């Protein structure tokens, strides 16, 4: 399903609203959102709910295009479009399957997001990366709640945080984060599955 002209401020709302409706994949392409659904998904219901989100924002419903796509190796297809890029003022994200060299004035983060959130392309990740550059202190301990791919935990360590913890309620995300942490040789980043400890 292709949603044309989705304002940036509504993208998270749309994705969150549909996250439990059988969404098999999401691709942001400028103002467009492309969502992939299982064949048995109720697309009429999906379109109705999207219309409600836009109505609450006092906007007209987006143009929606449905099409059927052939099944393929989606991981391989996605990897073709995920290339190295600078992020914030300090970092350079390099997909783990690329041999790209990091510019000398940046810190390399080698990442394979797998099935976890945290490619570095989302606005929230980029804003936090900017904030980390300003707020990390040599004596501080960092807790990355909802670590996903571990990209923010790795960035905090690279900026000099002496101890970093990453947690996620998704066990798959924790495995992905651990692999990325090892890929970046950051031994002082610990991960665990769950949320913060309750007193």
């Amino acid at each position: 399903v292709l949603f044309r002209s989705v304002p940036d401020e509504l993208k998270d709302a749309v994705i969150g609203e549909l996250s439990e409706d059988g969404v098999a994949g999401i691709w942001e392409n400028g103002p467009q959102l492309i969502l992939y659904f299982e064949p048995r998904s109720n697309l009429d219901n999906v379109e109705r709910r999207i219309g409600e989100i836009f109505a609450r924002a006092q906007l007209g419903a987006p143009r929606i295009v449905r099409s059927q796509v052939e099944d393929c190796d989606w991981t391989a297809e996605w990897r073709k479009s995920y290339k190295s890029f600078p992020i914030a003022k300090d970092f350079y994200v390099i997909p783990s399957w690329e041999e790209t060299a990091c510019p000398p004035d940046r810190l390399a983060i080698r990442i394979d997001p797998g099935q976890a959130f945290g490619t570095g392309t989302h606005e929230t990740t980029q804003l936090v990366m900017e904030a980390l550059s300003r707020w990390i202190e040599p004596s501080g301990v960092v807790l990355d709640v909802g670590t996903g791919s571990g990209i923010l935990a790795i960035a905090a360590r690279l900026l000099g945080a002496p101890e970093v913890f990453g947690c996620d309620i998704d066990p798959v995300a924790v495995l992905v984060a651990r692999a990325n942490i090892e890929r970046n040789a950051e031994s002082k980043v610990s991960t665990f599955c769950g949320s913060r400890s309750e007193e």
Side-chain angles (χ1 to χ4, degrees), residues 93-122:
V93 174
I94 303 172
S96 63
W97 54 90
E98 282 193 359
E99 296 298 326
T100 306
C102 180
D105 60 336
R106 289 185 174 265
L107 301 168
I109 299 180
R110 298 193 178 276
I111 205 95
D112 183 347
Q115 297 179 42
F117 180 84
T119 60
T121 58
H122 197 274

Side-chain angles (χ1 to χ4, degrees), residues 85-92 103-107 125-135 159:
F85 61 96
I87 182 170
K89 67 181 184 68
D90 293 305
F91 303 104
Y92 196 72
D105 60 336
R106 289 185 174 265
L107 301 168
T125 305
Q126 294 174 8
L127 287 170
V128 173
M129 296 282 257
E130 290 283 0
L132 284 173
S133 298
R134 292 194 301 271
W135 294 103
L159 287 172

Side-chain angles (χ1 to χ4, degrees), residues 11-187:
K11 286 181 180 177
D12 285 342
V14 169
I15 292 168
E17 182 74 18
L18 302 179
S19 61
E20 296 182 8
D21 278 332
V23 177
I26 298 169
W27 181 36
E28 292 186 42
N29 183 21
Q32 300 178 345
L33 272 182
I34 302 173
L35 288 85
Y36 298 92
F37 291 88
E38 300 293 337
R40 61 185 173 277
S41 298
N42 184 341
L43 297 183
D44 291 331
N45 184 51
V46 166
E47 291 188 17
R48 179 186 58 77
R49 291 168 66 189
I50 296 303
E52 291 172 356
I53 292 172
F54 275 71
R56 285 194 299 268
Q58 299 182 335
L59 295 171
R63 182 168 171 235
I64 298 172
V65 179
R66 294 187 192 184
S67 63
Q68 189 168 350
V69 295
E70 294 296 323
D71 198 13
C72 66
D73 184 344
W74 292 109
T75 300
E77 289 299 311
W78 173 80
R79 283 184 170 189
K80 291 177 185 176
S81 64
Y82 186 57
K83 303 294 183 185
S84 300
F85 61 96
I87 182 170
K89 67 181 184 68
D90 293 305
F91 303 104
Y92 196 72
V93 174
I94 303 172
S96 63
W97 54 90
E98 282 193 359
E99 296 298 326
T100 306
C102 180
D105 60 336
R106 289 185 174 265
L107 301 168
I109 299 180
R110 298 193 178 276
I111 205 95
D112 183 347
Q115 297 179 42
F117 180 84
T119 60
T121 58
H122 197 274
E123 291 86 350
T124 55
T125 305
Q126 294 174 8
L127 287 170
V128 173
M129 296 282 257
E130 290 283 0
L132 284 173
S133 298
R134 292 194 301 271
W135 294 103
I136 291 292
E137 296 180 358
S139 59
V141 176
V142 173
L143 173 61
D144 179 12
V145 178
T147 195
S149 69
I151 188 170
L152 294 176
I154 294 164
R157 178 69 189 124
L158 289 173
L159 287 172
E163 199 168 9
V164 180
F165 297 90
C167 67
D168 205 295
I169 59 171
D170 180 357
V172 173
V174 173
L175 292 174
V176 170
R178 285 179 184 157
N180 284 321
I181 289 162
E182 290 174 8
R183 188 172 284 118
N184 288 274
E186 289 304 330
S187 59

